[in-house]
Amino acid sequence: MLHLLETLCAVVSAGSLNKAAETLHLTQPAVTKQIRSLEQDLSVQLLVRGPQGVTLTPVGQQIYHYARRAVAAARACRRVAEEWNAPDRGRLVVAAGLTLTLFTLPPVIAEFRRRQPRVQVEVRTGGSQESVGHLLNYEADLAMVTSPVSQPDVQVAPLFQDLLVLAAAPGHPLADHSAVTVTDLAQQTLISFTRGSGLRQYVDQVLEARGVAPQVVMEFNSIEAIKTMVALNLGVALLPWSAVREDALHERLAALRVTDWPDAGRTISLVWRRDGYQTAPMRQFRTLALELLSQERAEKEGEH
């Protein structure tokens, strides 16, 4: 049944039978025959064809959830065998949010590749919940997250606390200050992440609890867009120190501590599945991340 589940995953990923056939190097009739065979075996209809392609039926959605895990688990089995035969090679998949892939993961991956040049590293981007989902579906080996994880099927290792700072343009009235208070934010024009993002929810909850309601004039889902608007002096933003550190060091932005919010920030953690075989690249990357990012934590505590 495994090859039929692989075909189902390919069809869902491609969105059509024709595109899936190209990916699988099969003819469209052959893909259709395999899907029908799977449906007959399970005695349910999995897909509905329409003008926009194929969509999953309700039961198909449930089966697809397990199909993804089965296919990924089978691939993990192959990787374990490959590592056994060639321990200095392999592949490592890390899932992480966009901000982490911009400012936290690159130096770790660069050092890992320097030490393990024959291991291929892949990165999947997504929010913390999505990254943990990739992990549980065997689509990633490790996940780096910014939100608390309560899944019983994973282990969590905190790496460092990424403090929030108030980013302002060098010409902003606050730029000459070394710090601000939460109350000061009520008088500011704020540039923020879009509603629904983890960081936006966290900031909104804290400010609301303190009775502070700054005017949010712009919302973006890109941290680089937020920093650009701040640099143009169109407002200020609460951002992770890791995201503005280089800008502050080169005086492109001012980064101000929020003195009466000492625990402002997010705990960056590394997450992996409890079950299954821990490949050598997984163990090596995990050790390296703990080593490098623990050093970074000590540096940040010294700077702030």
Side-chain angles (χ1 to χ4, degrees):
M1 179 185 285
L2 180 61
H3 75 285
L4 300 180
L5 295 177
E6 289 176 330
T7 300
L8 174 65
C9 291
V11 171
V12 175
S13 177
S16 76
L17 295 169
N18 286 330
K19 291 180 180 178
E22 294 176 6
T23 302
L24 297 170
H25 305 291
L26 298 172
T27 63
Q28 187 269 330
V31 171
T32 300
K33 183 178 179 180
Q34 289 188 11
I35 293 298
R36 286 176 178 170
S37 177
L38 181 60
E39 290 177 328
Q40 290 172 359
D41 190 20
L42 297 173
S43 300
V44 293
Q45 183 180 358
L46 299 172
L47 299 172
V48 176
R49 300 184 67 171
Q52 303 301 320
V54 296
T55 57
L56 287 164
T57 63
V59 68
Q61 292 176 354
Q62 296 181 50
I63 289 173
Y64 173 61
H65 169 76
Y66 291 106
R68 286 173 58 193
R69 302 184 83 169
V71 170
R75 290 172 181 167
C77 291
R78 295 189 189 101
R79 287 170 53 198
V80 171
E82 290 168 359
E83 182 192 343
W84 183 265
N85 292 323
D88 62 336
R89 298 188 182 186
R91 183 171 71 101
L92 180 73
V93 182
V94 183
L98 184 58
T99 301
L100 293 174
T101 60
L102 285 172
F103 304 107
T104 302
L105 264 181
V108 182
I109 292 176
E111 178 61 19
F112 180 80
R113 288 298 306 273
R114 188 187 70 79
R115 298 186 186 186
Q116 304 292 337
R118 303 181 74 178
V119 176
Q120 178 185 351
V121 180
E122 298 179 13
V123 177
R124 286 178 174 263
T125 59
S128 291
Q129 289 186 353
E130 188 177 357
S131 295
V132 173
H134 287 313
L135 195 66
L136 294 174
N137 287 329
Y138 293 85
E139 296 167 343
D141 302 302
L142 298 166
M144 192 174 287
V145 300
T146 59
S147 301
V149 178
S150 57
Q151 280 280 352
D153 297 329
V154 302
Q155 290 184 274
V156 181
L159 297 171
F160 66 94
Q161 183 78 4
D162 199 5
L163 297 177
L164 286 183
V165 297
L166 187 70
H172 192 277
L174 290 176
D176 293 333
H177 295 61
S178 61
V180 294
T181 65
V182 173
T183 304
D184 293 331
L185 301 179
Q187 312 301 322
Q188 300 303 317
T189 300
L190 205 62
I191 300 171
S192 185
F193 286 95
T194 52
R195 293 184 182 276
S197 68
L199 185 57
R200 173 66 182 272
Q201 290 177 347
Y202 170 61
V203 169
D204 284 353
Q205 288 171 0
V206 171
L207 295 183
E208 184 179 349
R210 304 283 186 94
V212 175
Q215 180 186 9
V216 178
V217 292
M218 298 182 191
E219 299 180 352
F220 298 95
N221 59 9
S222 162
I223 201 165
E224 292 295 345
I226 293 174
K227 291 200 298 180
T228 297
M229 295 302 174
V230 171
L232 292 172
N233 210 1
L234 298 176
V236 297
L238 285 164
L239 296 174
W241 169 240
S242 63
V244 300
R245 179 180 181 180
E246 290 300 316
D247 299 282
L249 292 176
H250 292 88
E251 299 183 345
R252 294 188 292 265
L253 293 173
L256 314 173
R257 289 182 296 112
V258 185
T259 55
D260 56 345
W261 190 2
D263 58 343
R266 307 175 298 175
T267 300
I268 311 303
S269 302
L270 198 63
V271 187
W272 61 93
R273 291 184 305 274
R274 289 183 182 275
D275 69 330
Y277 175 72
Q278 305 291 312
T279 67
M282 289 172 61
R283 298 192 301 271
Q284 293 158 355
F285 189 93
R286 197 165 63 216
T287 300
L288 179 61
L290 289 167
E291 172 192 331
L292 294 182
L293 296 178
S294 294
Q295 292 175 3
E296 185 171 342
R297 173 177 58 191
E299 292 174 5
K300 288 178 181 178
E301 289 174 350
E303 292 168 352
H304 284 266

